[in-house]
Amino acid sequence: MGSLAAGNGTAGHASNGVADHALALEMNGAGNGHSKAGVVAGREAPVLQANGGGGKIKKKKISPKDKYWVAADDGEVAAAIQDGGEDGRRPLLYWNFKVKAVLLYPYRLLSLIRLVAIVLFFIWRVRHPYADGMWLWWISMVGDLWFGVTWLLNQVAKLSPVKRVPDLALLKQQFDLADGNSNLPILDVFINTVDPINEPMIYTMNSILSILAADYPVDKHACYLSDDGGSIIHYDGLLETAKFAALWVPFCRKHSIEPRAPESYFSVKTHPYTGNTPEEFLNDHRHVYREYDEFKCRLDALFIVIPKRSDGYNHSDTKEGAKATWMADGTQWPGTWIEPAKNHKRGDHDGIVKVMLKHPGHEPELGLPASTNNLLDFSSVDLRLPMLVYISREKRPGCDHQKKAGAMNVQLRVSALLTNAPFIINFDCDHYVNNSKAFRAGICFMLDRREGDNTAFVQFPQRFDDVDPTDRYCNHNRVFFDATLLGLNGIQGPSFVGTGCMFRRFALYGTDPPRWRSDDVKIVDSSKKFGSSLSFMSSIPASANQERSIMSPPALEESVMADLADVMTCAYEDGTEFGREVGWVYNIATEDVVTGFRLHRNGWRSMYCRMEPDAFAGTAPINLTERLYQILRWSGGSLEMFFSRYCPLLAGGRLHPMQRIAYANMTAYPVSSIFLVFYLLFPVIWIFRGQFYIQKPFPTYVLYLVIVIVMTELIGVIEIKWAGLTMLDWIRNEQFYIVGATAVYPTAVLHMVLKLFGFKGVSFKLTAKQVASSTSDKFAELYAVQWAPLLIPTMVVIAVNVCAIGASIGKAIFGGWSLMQMADAGLGLLFNAWILVLIYPFALGMIGWWSKRPYVLFIMLIIAFIVIAMLDIAIQSMRSGFVRFHFKSSGGATFPTSWGL
């Protein structure tokens, strides 16, 4: 979350001058540029004329970022206008855009030319099997073949990119009623957390506040927090959050606040005012800001208040035994205690369900005008808050609780018994709603009459705050989110990437989409597919009704609480299909990707929604070691998927052929490291043996490589254009691919080899969230060096290539090379230098605080080249007994043969 990593003191930067400046912007008309309904992806989507213009489509001016995209469904939209909805069909709620031919055709042509160049390259190599070592020639041939195939698998998925833009204005027109109510379907929002220390609670509570304040009918969505640690800190923190939400949410509604996570909102220095009461904003802003500071202090104080409260109750309790942890109402906490005890410790406690905010009524509840007791005028603001539920599933020793996937499947069952919304959005605890209309955007795709019924999920891009301005470790990953996923959007849809995704509940139950489902199919039968809870199984057919817009949770009577406790037990899933064909998938580190794949394999499709402002935002690891651990978990999980029953190559005919290719590439990519590391370490032979060629004639070999590389970069330049990327985004993607391929992917391959032979494999470390810095430097974690074995392989690659450059210089100076040999060596040195450029971010990370001055790294490299060159000369001189600078005759010119020293 933007400024959440800065800790509790960060909001102090948002002084009262922020509000003054915001008001000044409003008075000057600066607020007119804010995001309105229908304005998505940096421009207004084409809108229909409202003056009876005969169904014509009026095009609005688009931003430069999207100037290479053109509407692809004008005819379909015009036809929809003509039928006027008289046939009862739902409206078209999103627009399709395709890349203009001026970019798309050259993009495809260059891809074809590169493919032809690769084929000719292999034909030439097969006809010229000449090298200084044939074993190296064979390795390089297999490696080049692998690289060519993986490039092709990656490229074909991006040949027909599609951008889809939700029509928020039409959604509002069709579903929002004049009396303030709405016919939008109900929605459940899931948040998952484990540890209030490793996952700072300020992240989680800001995420919840942004969800409660989202621009979605208040009686149509509910928020579920899953606390997998059973911590009373989270429970009491949620109580405090519910109290503060009573002020924060009406404030957001009154003044159209964006974003609606207070920590992010107050950390931004300027805000164009977009509300309707600018004369009241300044005082309201000051009051809410003070209240938010107090709210954060209360959250921090919980770590002291709860132990003191528990000590007080324990002293008055005459019973002997373990010291219990007590709730504020004087009852013992059923989850984990501060001092662990049997049935009250990590991995051993009862299930808990607490409704923190009850489901609101269907009629607006306006607040009171400003007075002595009510400093803010909420007389025209609806004060209702969405339903808020705390969940902590049962845990017992000896049970495999299946980590995050297991927690989400419990949320799936608990929410089915309470609200049973047909649609679900999942969040990581460090992500928040950055655009209050994001929920509505997702619903546009689910309710559209074209592919809505067959859409299992809508994936939003992951965006991150508090990443260093140069994005040193490629945290934004924009090539994937803004290029690859747009390519998949034109096939069967993007993959599920873990957070910020809207699901169709019925699809998660393992059902087939309407296009593949027979009319007489029986969803719930007598089998144990869904477990033994009759209440849960009876909720399944109702979840298929996406038009259901009335949320009516049952009263929490004893029977309902018994059902809730039943579906949260550790043993509930025994003998069921949960974790396989129902819910989120188990036993694979990347449960997100494989869950999305299972839905695609069943015939469902997905949609990709990129909007501005970004729908959601969160935090990312800016420390090198933490980032590498994150990539290790992703790459290891990808290989697990490839070698499991979910291998894309084994999927049935419902999976689109191009989607199958894309998934095969997404799961097998770590294997590339086997060959890439070989290439990166090959210069070590030059250090000890001098010139050594894996392919002859070497100049022709280099020429082919240059052609292929140049074609790759040209394709990349065009991709940057249509995807709206920057050159820095492209460079960072290439750099961190090499860093990952040297530092992480070999470990992922080792992990998979161990598992295939029946061993445990490598343990994956969960990514640590950013925490408050003890210094004034916002990016202190970026410069911290955390030692880990993962760093060794890349350090070796750097050392080998630096030594190769230095040794080549030394050998050239010492003598014995012709000008032709020196030219060949120069080409090799270019390769070494290019490798060092690609690993540059890693090298910066290894020098810690010195990386604030990048020139220090260059000085260190130059010194290393000189030292190694001198060392090589000294070694050669010791071998020969003297130093000889030797140049042979070349090109008809005669040079001095030697100077003895």
Side-chain angles (χ1 to χ4, degrees):
M1 187 178 301
S3 37
L4 296 185
N8 292 341
T10 306
H13 296 292
S15 65
N16 293 331
V18 173
D20 296 332
H21 184 59
L23 287 176
L25 289 174
E26 167 64 19
M27 300 307 178
N28 292 331
N32 294 334
H34 68 280
S35 177
K36 301 178 181 178
V39 181
V40 188
R43 58 157 176 77
E44 291 187 19
V47 295
L48 310 179
Q49 288 185 345
N51 57 0
K56 295 181 180 179
I57 299 173
K58 182 179 179 181
K59 298 297 180 79
K60 296 291 184 179
K61 184 178 180 181
I62 63 175
S63 73
K65 182 178 180 180
D66 292 315
K67 65 180 180 181
Y68 296 111
W69 294 83
V70 60
D73 49 10
D74 288 358
E76 192 174 12
V77 173
I81 299 169
Q82 293 298 333
D83 69 41
E86 295 177 359
D87 58 356
R89 292 190 297 169
R90 298 193 302 271
L92 304 183
L93 293 174
Y94 65 82
W95 288 79
N96 288 308
F97 291 85
K98 293 187 176 180
V99 179
K100 289 183 177 180
V102 68
L103 278 187
L104 184 61
Y105 291 159
Y107 184 72
R108 293 174 175 174
L109 178 61
L110 287 173
S111 298
L112 177 61
I113 294 174
R114 189 183 190 276
L115 178 61
V116 171
I118 291 175
V119 172
L120 293 176
F121 175 55
F122 279 112
I123 294 174
W124 176 81
R125 291 204 68 184
V126 170
R127 291 179 176 177
H128 298 79
Y130 312 123
D132 288 336
M134 288 306 297
W135 63 277
L136 288 175
W137 184 87
W138 278 107
I139 293 177
S140 68
M141 276 293 293
V142 175
D144 287 345
L145 178 62
W146 176 264
F147 291 136
V149 170
T150 54
W151 170 82
L152 183 61
L153 295 179
N154 180 66
Q155 195 62 28
V156 294
K158 297 188 286 187
L159 294 180
S160 297
V162 172
K163 180 182 294 184
R164 293 187 169 94
V165 179
D167 193 336
L168 297 176
L170 185 57
L171 182 78
K172 182 180 180 65
Q173 175 186 331
Q174 293 286 330
F175 291 91
D176 288 357
L177 306 178
D179 60 359
N181 289 314
S182 174
N183 288 327
L184 285 170
I186 57 180
L187 179 67
D188 288 337
V189 186
F190 294 171
I191 306 177
N192 292 271
T193 188
V194 178
D195 190 323
I197 304 298
N198 293 332
E199 297 173 333
M201 191 165 54
I202 191 65
Y203 291 131
T204 307
M205 299 309 153
N206 266 264
S207 179
I208 291 170
L209 287 169
S210 71
I211 292 168
L212 298 179
D215 183 8
Y216 200 81
V218 65
D219 57 333
K220 307 288 185 182
H221 74 289
C223 179
Y224 292 83
L225 173 66
S226 172
D227 174 17
D228 223 24
S231 170
I232 193 174
I233 295 289
H234 280 132
Y235 176 77
D236 277 16
L238 207 57
L239 285 174
E240 293 292 343
T241 302
K243 295 176 185 176
F244 179 70
L247 173 67
W248 173 252
V249 173
F251 170 71
C252 292
R253 292 172 182 163
K254 177 180 180 180
H255 296 291
S256 301
I257 297 301
E258 297 286 351
R260 298 193 175 181
E263 189 75 16
S264 272
Y265 173 73
F266 288 123
S267 68
V268 178
K269 295 183 179 180
T270 59
H271 290 285
Y273 184 73
T274 59
N276 298 317
T277 54
E279 67 280 356
E280 300 178 21
F281 176 67
L282 182 58
N283 289 330
D284 289 0
H285 181 281
R286 288 172 176 168
H287 177 70
V288 174
Y289 174 69
R290 286 194 298 267
E291 290 295 325
Y292 179 61
D293 265 351
E294 293 179 8
F295 164 70
K296 290 193 295 182
C297 291
R298 291 195 297 273
L299 289 183
D300 289 341
L302 290 177
F303 293 91
I304 301 175
V305 170
I306 293 174
K308 285 186 176 180
R309 181 178 68 206
S310 298
D311 288 342
Y313 280 113
N314 287 324
H315 284 308
S316 61
D317 190 357
T318 58
K319 296 180 181 179
E320 296 183 359
K323 293 184 178 180
T325 297
W326 295 78
M327 303 168 64
D329 61 2
T331 58
Q332 290 187 0
W333 174 243
T336 58
W337 287 354
I338 298 174
E339 294 188 14
K342 185 178 180 181
N343 295 327
H344 293 284
K345 59 184 177 180
R346 282 288 183 95
D348 184 15
H349 60 80
D350 293 335
I352 308 169
V353 175
K354 299 283 187 180
V355 177
M356 318 298 289
L357 292 172
K358 294 182 179 180
H359 178 254
H362 301 298
E363 296 299 325
E365 298 176 7
L366 301 182
L368 299 173
S371 64
T372 304
N373 297 326
N374 299 287
L375 300 182
L376 275 63
D377 182 4
F378 288 152
S379 57
S380 59
V381 181
D382 188 358
L383 299 184
R384 292 178 299 165
L385 297 176
M387 186 175 178
L388 177 61
V389 182
Y390 173 91
I391 301 173
S392 184
R393 58 179 169 152
E394 180 193 50
K395 286 192 172 183
R396 296 302 175 203
C399 293
D400 187 351
H401 300 107
Q402 300 295 346
K403 301 177 182 178
K404 178 181 175 182
M408 296 189 72
N409 281 336
V410 170
Q411 282 180 300
L412 188 66
R413 297 192 293 270
V414 170
S415 62
L417 299 183
L418 292 179
T419 50
N420 200 27
F423 303 111
I424 296 168
I425 292 184
N426 77 296
F427 280 93
D428 287 345
C429 65
D430 60 340
H431 279 64
Y432 64 93
V433 181
N434 186 63
N435 186 330
S436 63
K437 291 181 171 56
F439 295 173
R440 290 175 173 265
I443 290 295
C444 284
F445 297 99
M446 293 295 194
L447 299 185
D448 187 88
R449 75 186 191 193
R450 290 163 292 189
E451 290 287 349
D453 291 341
N454 293 296
T455 298
F457 61 93
V458 179
Q459 180 65 63
F460 294 83
Q462 292 184 13
R463 304 301 193 205
F464 303 104
D465 301 327
D466 281 357
V467 173
D468 57 295
T470 62
D471 192 16
R472 180 190 292 180
Y473 303 134
C474 196
N475 287 107
H476 290 304
N477 203 5
R478 292 192 182 274
V479 172
F480 175 75
F481 284 112
D482 294 343
T484 302
L485 292 191
L486 285 178
L488 293 176
N489 208 27
I491 309 174
Q492 200 173 340
S495 56
F496 170 38
V497 294
T499 184
C501 187
M502 177 180 288
F503 284 95
R504 184 180 298 275
R505 183 187 290 267
F506 201 56
L508 286 172
Y509 289 151
T511 60
D512 295 331
R515 67 169 55 145
W516 295 102
R517 189 191 313 150
S518 59
D519 296 335
D520 59 348
V521 65
K522 191 174 183 181
I523 304 300
V524 181
D525 53 28
S526 59
S527 69
K528 294 294 185 179
K529 178 179 180 180
F530 299 105
S532 58
S533 172
L534 296 178
S535 298
F536 173 65
M537 287 188 285
S538 64
S539 72
I540 293 174
S543 68
N545 180 15
Q546 68 177 20
E547 306 291 344
R548 189 161 57 91
S549 60
I550 299 178
M551 182 184 293
S552 53
L556 297 182
E557 300 174 347
E558 185 175 347
S559 60
V560 175
M561 295 303 296
D563 287 337
L564 291 172
D566 181 30
V567 298
M568 287 194 296
T569 59
C570 299
Y572 182 85
E573 296 180 355
D574 293 347
T576 71
E577 288 295 322
F578 276 97
R580 291 169 58 88
E581 298 302 322
V582 178
W584 279 263
V585 175
Y586 295 159
N587 299 317
I588 294 181
T590 50
E591 79 285 338
D592 48 2
V593 177
V594 70
T595 299
F597 167 77
R598 192 196 71 208
L599 295 170
H600 284 140
R601 186 190 62 183
N602 290 345
W604 293 94
R605 71 155 298 119
S606 59
M607 298 287 183
Y608 187 60
C609 180
R610 191 176 74 180
M611 58 191 301
E612 286 192 5
D614 295 318
F616 312 119
T619 62
I622 61 173
N623 179 267
L624 174 60
T625 305
E626 292 295 337
R627 176 70 166 134
L628 292 179
Y629 276 126
Q630 183 184 58
I631 297 175
L632 174 61
R633 182 165 50 87
W634 292 346
S635 54
S638 296
L639 285 177
E640 287 179 348
M641 177 178 169
F642 187 82
F643 289 98
S644 73
R645 62 193 297 263
Y646 300 103
C647 177
L649 303 180
L650 304 179
R654 296 184 184 182
L655 187 68
H656 192 285
M658 301 297 287
Q659 195 81 10
R660 187 189 307 270
I661 290 174
Y663 270 115
N665 181 58
M666 283 192 289
T667 54
Y669 70 90
V671 178
S672 301
S673 64
I674 298 174
F675 306 104
L676 194 58
V677 170
F678 160 76
Y679 278 117
L680 299 182
L681 294 179
F682 174 74
V684 74
I685 300 178
W686 285 54
I687 299 175
F688 298 105
R689 292 194 51 177
Q691 292 178 323
F692 190 92
Y693 300 104
I694 60 175
Q695 178 68 59
K696 294 180 179 179
F698 189 66
T700 307
Y701 175 70
V702 172
L703 178 62
Y704 271 111
L705 290 180
V706 169
I707 292 174
V708 171
I709 293 174
V710 169
M711 297 304 299
T712 303
E713 300 306 319
L714 289 176
I715 292 171
V717 169
I718 297 180
E719 192 170 298
I720 287 172
K721 291 290 185 181
W722 63 255
L725 305 173
T726 66
M727 186 60 70
L728 181 61
D729 293 329
W730 181 261
I731 293 173
R732 286 290 186 251
N733 182 74
E734 290 193 342
Q735 287 178 325
F736 222 74
Y737 173 77
I738 297 297
V739 172
T742 55
V744 174
Y745 300 165
T747 306
V749 173
L750 174 63
H751 162 75
M752 199 62 243
V753 170
L754 291 174
K755 292 201 68 174
L756 290 175
F757 281 95
F759 297 98
K760 183 179 179 181
V762 178
S763 297
F764 298 135
K765 178 181 179 293
L766 292 179
T767 306
K769 310 299 183 185
Q770 289 189 39
V771 296
S773 173
S774 59
T775 69
S776 59
D777 195 327
K778 181 179 180 181
F779 304 116
E781 290 186 37
L782 181 69
Y783 309 113
V785 180
Q786 298 179 11
W787 173 251
L790 285 178
L791 303 175
I792 296 176
T794 311
M795 293 173 63
V796 171
V797 170
I798 293 175
V800 166
N801 283 272
V802 169
C803 290
I805 293 176
S808 298
I809 296 173
K811 287 178 172 58
I813 294 176
F814 189 80
W817 284 4
S818 67
L819 292 182
M820 182 60 70
Q821 288 176 311
M822 294 178 67
D824 290 346
L827 295 175
L829 292 181
L830 284 177
F831 172 80
N832 300 133
W834 178 239
I835 294 303
L836 293 178
V837 169
L838 292 177
I839 304 181
Y840 168 73
F842 179 92
L844 281 179
M846 293 306 300
I847 63 175
W849 289 95
W850 288 102
S851 63
K852 287 188 173 184
R853 302 173 179 84
Y855 62 83
V856 173
L857 178 61
F858 292 99
I859 295 174
M860 292 170 64
L861 287 175
I862 293 173
I863 293 174
F865 295 151
I866 295 173
V867 170
I868 295 171
M870 295 177 64
L871 182 61
D872 185 86
I873 292 173
I875 293 174
Q876 294 184 74
S877 65
M878 285 189 293
R879 287 178 178 175
S880 59
F882 61 96
V883 178
R884 180 182 299 275
F885 294 86
H886 190 99
F887 294 87
K888 292 183 178 180
S889 60
S890 176
T894 301
F895 296 90
T897 56
S898 65
W899 289 268
L901 294 180

